[in-house]
Amino acid sequence: KAGKGYIPLDRSYPRERLSFILTDSEALSILTNEENLDLAHELSHGGRGTVPAHRVDVEDQRVPTTDLDLEVDPGALAYILYTSGSTGTPKGVAQCHRNVQSLMRAYTNALKISPEDRCTLFSSFAFDAAVADIYGALLNGAALCPLSVRDEGLAHLAQWLIDQKVTIYHSTPTFFRHFISTLPEG
């Protein structure tokens, strides 16, 4: 809404990695909720000085609820995602709004996502695959069905997909192979 780019921080990542990302990206603020406020304060006082932390789960009367009517340049930063760091140091990969729009158009058209769909979200929101899952659902009025496989495991995934009435399944090939291996023969 404010026309700014974002850098997702997954609270399950090591603190050193999160601190590095904040410092390397030169983030201007941390948006968080009550559950993660202590972590945000811990991270906000590291690296290059204090980065203010703001709770998004508390309504601020000063923030307009109406459209800000901002024009955002298609070449402007949409987000920075950090790679796993095959060299030992994570690297920030920036994407502009134009690239995200092109990705979403191709993803939406290929899958014909509609408001009747229910889409999976298995990846961390800090992983590039999550971009297509999240925006593919939100921009098309579809439901997003997140599941933390790290917490839940794969044993009940097939039943979860049925219970959630998932119509669009998306995962990495490796994840899919592991999932398939949990299914009974026949």
Side-chain angles (χ1 to χ4, degrees):
K1 186 172 189 170
K4 303 295 181 188
Y6 71 92
I7 302 122
L9 299 173
D10 186 329
R11 68 181 177 179
S12 70
Y13 289 176
R15 301 295 187 266
E16 300 78 33
R17 179 183 172 92
L18 296 175
S19 293
F20 172 83
I21 291 171
L22 277 173
T23 301
D24 186 65
S25 67
E26 299 181 1
L28 300 176
S29 63
I30 299 173
L31 303 180
T32 190
N33 57 13
E34 175 66 30
E35 179 182 349
N36 297 297
L37 189 58
D38 289 340
L39 173 59
H41 283 305
E42 177 188 325
L43 293 171
S44 73
H45 291 85
R48 59 183 173 81
T50 302
V51 177
H54 305 280
R55 280 185 51 195
V56 296
D57 57 343
V58 175
E59 185 176 338
D60 186 341
Q61 298 300 321
R62 296 169 295 161
V63 176
T65 58
T66 58
D67 186 359
L68 298 177
D69 199 28
L70 294 177
E71 280 195 36
V72 178
D73 184 282
L77 178 68
Y79 62 81
I80 302 173
L81 296 179
Y82 276 75
T83 65
S84 59
S86 59
T87 62
T89 304
K91 303 276 188 299
V93 178
Q95 288 296 334
C96 67
H97 288 273
R98 178 183 301 109
N99 291 352
V100 177
Q101 181 184 22
S102 294
L103 168 68
M104 295 321 311
R105 184 175 292 129
Y107 187 75
T108 296
N109 291 343
L111 297 177
K112 300 188 179 2
I113 302 173
S114 74
E116 291 76 37
D117 283 312
R118 299 183 56 79
C119 308
T120 59
L121 174 62
F122 300 127
S123 300
S124 162
F125 54 86
F127 184 59
D128 62 349
V131 172
D133 295 338
I134 294 168
Y135 291 115
L138 295 178
L139 293 173
N140 291 287
L144 187 62
C145 303
L147 178 70
S148 173
V149 178
R150 181 182 298 130
D151 296 336
E152 303 294 328
L154 294 174
H156 305 288
L157 179 56
Q159 189 58 51
W160 180 85
L161 292 168
I162 293 166
D163 294 345
Q164 294 295 313
K165 298 179 173 68
V166 167
T167 58
I168 297 179
Y169 172 99
H170 179 231
S171 72
T172 63
T174 300
F175 179 94
F176 184 69
R177 279 192 301 277
H178 286 294
F179 166 48
I180 293 299
S181 72
T182 67
L183 299 176
E185 295 287 327

